[in-house]
Amino acid sequence: MKIKVIHGPNLNMLGVREVNLYGPMKLEDINKNMEVVAKQNGFDIEFYQSNHEGDIVDAIQESLNEGVDGIIINPAALTHYSIAVRDAIAAVNLPTIEVHLTNISRREEFRHKSLISPVVAGTITGFGPFSYHLGLIAMMQILNEIKMAKEAKEK
Ligand code: DQA
């Protein structure tokens, strides 16, 4: 089973960007850690980052042709205003988990609203890079449950 991880605008700058908020860890190290855990559990995983809204929409849509079973997404700033990203997630209708490094509810008021949360299975926010790990654990659980339900039906 394949998981696609999508990172939104400015997340390529982790480790450099507002380290007081987002921490010192680089995106490639977050990805490497997720890759180890996914592989250990028998899942394929791929990663995508873009600073462009349309490219994020394309990456979500392309999941359908790539055999992707579930999406983990940190939409970054797009969380708070992108109806296009929200609609793409709803359109592909794959199990999706939203993650944030920071607790968006504790930050500026404009970050309190997520347009993405209503179309995802769940949201993990506020645990730094560990949010991605928790998102991965949750996604593997969801996909294992789907697999077991399918197998039970085939019996
Ligand atoms: C973020 C929170 C967003 O509000 C912000 O625009 C980001 C990162 C997070 O991971 O905490 O770029 O998604």
Side-chain angles (χ1 to χ4, degrees):
M1 287 184 136
K2 199 200 267 189
I3 298 167
K4 187 168 188 175
V5 184
I6 300 176
H7 307 284
N10 299 305
L11 292 170
N12 56 316
M13 291 195 65
L14 286 182
V16 175
R17 165 193 194 203
E18 299 181 276
V19 175
N20 56 321
L21 276 177
Y22 297 112
M25 202 162 177
K26 291 201 161 84
L27 189 62
E28 59 183 70
D29 294 325
I30 291 176
N31 288 348
K32 264 187 216 150
N33 287 350
M34 292 177 93
E35 190 165 23
V36 169
V37 175
K39 292 260 155 75
Q40 276 170 351
N41 286 279
F43 288 85
D44 287 335
I45 191 159
E46 59 182 54
F47 303 94
Y48 180 79
Q49 191 277 329
S50 176
N51 294 327
H52 306 284
E53 184 178 16
D55 290 343
I56 301 279
V57 169
D58 286 344
I60 295 165
Q61 288 185 10
E62 281 158 15
S63 300
L64 286 183
N65 307 320
E66 295 167 348
V68 169
D69 297 291
I71 296 173
I72 298 171
I73 184 165
N74 183 348
L78 296 169
T79 305
H80 314 298
Y81 67 86
S82 179
I83 299 170
V85 169
R86 175 198 173 116
D87 286 352
I89 292 169
V92 299
N93 199 24
L94 290 170
T96 299
I97 294 180
E98 174 188 2
V99 304
H100 299 284
L101 295 148
T102 59
N103 180 351
I104 56 175
S105 300
R106 280 185 68 167
R107 297 186 60 193
E108 303 95 325
E109 198 158 348
F110 66 86
R111 295 187 204 273
H112 294 182
K113 174 112 187 129
S114 168
L115 298 191
I116 308 304
S117 292
V119 294
V120 297
T123 301
I124 296 167
T125 180
F127 300 97
F130 199 61
S131 290
Y132 284 98
H133 180 76
L134 294 172
L136 177 57
I137 301 291
M139 179 53 71
M140 293 191 302
Q141 176 69 19
I142 290 172
L143 295 182
N144 279 333
E145 280 172 14
I146 291 172
K147 194 175 165 201
M148 284 189 307
K150 240 190 219 160
E151 282 166 4
K153 222 177 169 188
E154 278 161 17
K155 266 186 197 161

